[in-house]
Amino acid sequence: MNTTENIVEAYYRFCKNAFTMQDIKVVNGNNRQFDLLAVSLKPKKVFHVESSVSLTDEKPLKHRYEDEAVESLNRKFFGALRVKNAKSTKSQSRSNYKTEIDNMYRTFGLHVDSIERVYCRWAFYQSNKKLEKYMKQMNISKLSFRDDVLPALEKYIKTAHYEDDALRTLSLLSAYRKQIQKKK
């Protein structure tokens, strides 16, 4: 788990009041794992969240990277094989790992059809039409780390002390911003 995944998990736990599990290995999934599963009881929703947050996401994706994002989402959520590995002899015996992913949902008592798939990145841009079209077609929701996660968490945690290093850092930054604004 990296820092951004940790912060996204905290967002679901604190701001969405969800029970969460991170870094879930997919049994027989050929090194696949879920970044985050989150279950909210009110309203009853189940989220499978995959995060890919980078500051290079400040600008719209170039076409090549948009293709890579689509391929990555197809692998993570639906078990597709890597395009470059699709021709290898080892992978010719199977077309994907969707069954293994669906079985992991069932392991936790979740209904495959009730899963809301969420892709978190720094920001989303309308100019990334291929990514937008794919996400809409596959019913994948967008979560902006910059526009959704950070503001909601900052509002929730304020300046409280947290044992979690990432949340503590956010609370310190929140206190810093408030104190600087008072000086002005």
Side-chain angles (χ1 to χ4, degrees):
M1 166 183 62
N2 65 40
T3 302
T4 56
E5 290 172 357
N6 187 38
I7 292 170
V8 170
E9 184 276 333
Y11 167 79
Y12 275 92
R13 188 165 29 108
F14 293 120
C15 301
K16 298 289 190 183
N17 298 314
F19 295 98
T20 61
M21 288 184 72
Q22 295 174 277
D23 291 333
I24 301 164
K25 304 288 184 212
V26 176
V27 176
N28 298 321
N30 192 19
N31 296 321
R32 282 171 171 71
Q33 70 179 35
F34 301 157
D35 286 350
L36 176 68
L37 280 183
V39 178
S40 172
L41 299 178
K42 286 185 178 181
K44 191 172 182 180
K45 287 190 169 190
V46 179
F47 305 95
H48 172 181
V49 184
E50 292 293 337
S51 300
S52 179
V53 177
S54 167
L55 290 179
T56 58
D57 297 338
E58 286 182 59
K59 300 173 186 167
L61 293 169
K62 293 180 180 173
H63 184 70
R64 180 184 83 163
Y65 297 113
E66 196 174 10
D67 289 343
E68 288 175 9
V70 167
E71 181 189 343
S72 176
L73 291 178
N74 208 14
R75 273 194 330 272
K76 291 173 179 263
F77 289 124
F78 306 106
L81 301 175
R82 287 187 184 274
V83 171
K84 64 182 178 181
N85 294 343
K87 295 180 183 176
S88 73
T89 55
K90 186 176 182 180
S91 63
Q92 286 178 350
S93 62
R94 63 167 47 246
S95 59
N96 64 48
Y97 288 88
K98 180 149 179 24
T99 300
E100 288 77 6
I101 289 172
D102 290 350
N103 286 341
M104 285 307 298
Y105 295 143
R106 290 184 193 100
T107 297
F108 296 105
L110 305 174
H111 297 283
V112 174
D113 296 336
S114 70
I115 306 294
E116 183 175 329
R117 291 167 181 86
V118 180
Y119 178 42
C120 181
R121 54 182 295 114
W122 180 254
F124 290 88
Y125 300 92
Q126 290 181 348
S127 62
N128 291 131
K129 297 190 183 313
K130 184 173 187 175
L131 180 60
E132 291 279 332
K133 181 180 177 183
Y134 174 80
M135 290 177 66
K136 186 174 183 179
Q137 176 186 357
M138 301 308 283
N139 201 25
I140 300 171
S141 300
K142 296 185 279 188
L143 180 64
S144 170
F145 194 82
R146 179 192 69 193
D147 302 330
D148 301 321
V149 175
L150 289 176
L153 260 180
E154 185 175 34
K155 190 175 184 179
Y156 179 84
I157 64 174
K158 299 182 172 78
T159 58
H161 176 76
Y162 286 90
E163 295 297 322
D164 179 289
D165 289 339
L167 296 182
R168 179 66 176 148
T169 302
L170 289 177
S171 71
L172 290 168
L173 287 171
S174 179
Y176 166 76
R177 276 191 282 281
K178 287 178 184 177
Q179 291 172 13
I180 294 301
Q181 285 176 347
K182 284 182 185 178
K183 285 183 179 182
K184 292 179 181 180

